[in-house]
Amino acid sequence: MARPRKITDEALQEATSRAIEELGPGFTIADVAERAGVSVGTVAGRFGSKAGLLRALMLAAQDKAASGIRDRAREAGGGHAGLRAALLGWFPAMSPDVAANNVAALGADLTDRELRALLGKLFSAVEKEIRTLVRAAELPSAPSPARAARVLTGLVNGSVLAWSVQPKGALTTRVAGDLDAVLEAWRQPVTEKGD
C-alpha cells in the first residue's frame, strides 16, 4: 500500500518559487527539497526533473494568474480602479535581487521550447483577463481592448525588467508611475481634430 503524501504539489511549487527568488535559474531539485523540508527523492519522484517541476509551476501559474487578476479587480471595485489594481498586483513588491533572479529564470525558460509555449499560454491568459477589464474601465482614448491589453501587459513586464536592471526606488512605485502615465492619457475624452 502506498504511503500518503505528506506534502502537496502546491507546497513544492511554492518552495520552487522561493528557490528561484533566492538563487535564480541555477537552482536545483536539492534546493527545492531543502526549502520544502523534504528529501530530494520526494521532489524528483513527484516531478521527475527540474524541467518537470518548472512545467508544473508554469501550469499552476496560468490558473493563479487569471483568478488573481479577477480578484484584485473586484476588490478594487472594478472599472478603472480595478484594471489598475489588477495590473499593479501582478508583480508584488520585491527586492532588486529577487526581481533579477526571476527575470534570469524567465530568460532560461525562454530557451526551452516547451516552457516557452507554456509561458505563451500564461501571457495569453493574462491578456484575456486584462482585455475584459479594459472594456469595463471607461478609457475613451484607448486603442481596441486587445491592443490596450497587449500594451498594458507589455508595459508592466517591461517596467519590471527595466527596474530589475536599474532598481531606483520601489518596484511598485515605478510600475504605478509608468502605468498611470498611460491610463491617465487613455481616460481623457476623445477630441475631434480641427476643434
Side-chain angles (χ1 to χ4, degrees), residues 10-184:
E10 292 78 19
L12 291 173
Q13 290 164 5
E14 287 171 17
T16 303
S17 293
R18 285 194 311 276
I20 291 169
E21 288 176 355
E22 295 168 18
L23 305 169
F27 79 94
T28 65
I29 287 183
D31 296 321
V32 173
E34 179 184 327
R35 280 153 185 80
V38 298
S39 71
V40 171
T42 297
V43 180
R46 196 81 58 90
F47 296 100
S49 64
K50 180 177 172 178
L53 187 55
L54 288 170
R55 281 191 293 276
L57 187 64
M58 195 77 70
L59 287 167
Q62 289 177 32
D63 296 333
K64 289 179 186 176
S67 63
I69 287 169
R70 286 191 297 270
D71 291 347
R72 287 187 298 274
R74 186 177 52 254
E75 289 167 7
H80 170 265
L83 173 62
R84 184 178 185 276
L87 288 161
L88 287 177
W90 189 6
F91 289 97
M94 60 180 85
S95 73
D97 288 340
V98 168
N101 284 338
N102 276 296
V103 170
L106 172 65
D109 292 348
L110 292 173
T111 65
D112 179 288
R113 180 170 279 142
E114 189 175 355
L115 290 175
R116 188 170 60 237
L118 290 171
L119 187 62
K121 289 180 181 181
L122 172 62
F123 278 31
S124 293
V126 168
E127 278 189 22
K128 180 181 176 189
E129 295 299 326
I130 298 301
R131 231 182 355 257
T132 300
L133 296 176
V134 165
R135 287 187 186 102
E138 298 181 25
L139 301 169
S141 292
S144 71
R147 179 172 287 168
R150 208 168 46 245
V151 167
L152 293 172
T153 56
L155 172 75
V156 172
N157 284 322
S159 293
V160 172
L161 173 62
W163 183 85
S164 73
V165 175
Q166 296 177 314
K168 295 180 180 119
L171 173 61
T172 51
T173 302
R174 170 80 168 265
V175 174
D178 293 350
L179 187 58
D180 288 341
V182 172
L183 290 178
E184 289 308 314

